Amino acid sequence: MKKINFGILLILSAFLYAGLSLAGEPKEVFERQHFVIYHNDKIFANDISWKAEGHYKSIIMHLGVQSFRPWEGKEKCPIYLFDTRDDYIKYTGAPVWSAGIAQMKPLRLAIFKGAPDLKTTTLPHEITHLVLFKFFEKEPPLWLTEGLAQFEEETA
């Protein structure tokens, strides 16, 4: 029997495990003025980033808080863009029926490619939640956040 170097075996196992555990998780980073997007598709991330910036500016204006700047300088709001609904659910724990989720702690937004009405409904809805989380520095009443989030959704 040949001796196997335990250290090498351990390192190889760690790399294999890390590779398997990260399958489906966004691995690349794309930044805009207010958002940092974790993704696996640069073209789609670029598109989402421009939409997110536009929705953010619109939400701030509609709320009448133009001087409020929650994500200026080094702090940017993270958006996780998953390739599939299955990956999105697996990594966020979001309900199967959801197309996006805004979380307060840690503050982040998660969505997936192919979600219905992603750019027009889900994205502005979830960004509204994040802006309100930052504005109130705690989770505001559900009736308030859902009402304003629905108001920010684009209508056909």
Side-chain angles (χ1 to χ4, degrees), residues 96-122:
V96 174
W97 51 262
S98 75
I101 189 168
Q103 297 174 317
M104 186 170 176
K105 292 184 183 178
L107 187 75
R108 63 186 173 181
L109 185 154
I111 52 179
F112 64 94
K113 289 169 54 176
D117 304 315
L118 175 62
K119 297 175 193 173
T120 58
T121 303
T122 303

Side-chain angles (χ1 to χ4, degrees), residues 26-40 44-46 48-50 52-53 56 71-82 107-111 123 127 130:
K27 296 175 182 75
E28 297 190 36
V29 178
F30 190 93
E31 292 190 42
R32 283 274 177 240
Q33 182 179 358
H34 300 100
F35 300 94
V36 57
I37 300 179
Y38 299 91
H39 66 92
N40 292 323
F44 194 64
N46 181 50
I48 291 295
S49 73
W50 284 113
E53 289 292 344
Y56 168 80
W71 302 302
E72 293 289 324
K74 291 182 181 181
E75 182 184 6
K76 295 183 181 191
C77 180
I79 297 176
Y80 291 84
L81 179 56
F82 291 92
L107 187 75
R108 63 186 173 181
L109 185 154
I111 52 179
L123 196 57
I127 291 172
L130 295 173

Side-chain angles (χ1 to χ4, degrees), residues 9-43:
L9 184 60
L10 185 62
I11 291 169
L12 288 174
S13 297
F15 280 121
L16 180 61
Y17 177 74
L20 291 175
S21 67
L22 295 176
E25 186 175 16
K27 296 175 182 75
E28 297 190 36
V29 178
F30 190 93
E31 292 190 42
R32 283 274 177 240
Q33 182 179 358
H34 300 100
F35 300 94
V36 57
I37 300 179
Y38 299 91
H39 66 92
N40 292 323
D41 180 341
K42 188 172 186 171
I43 293 170

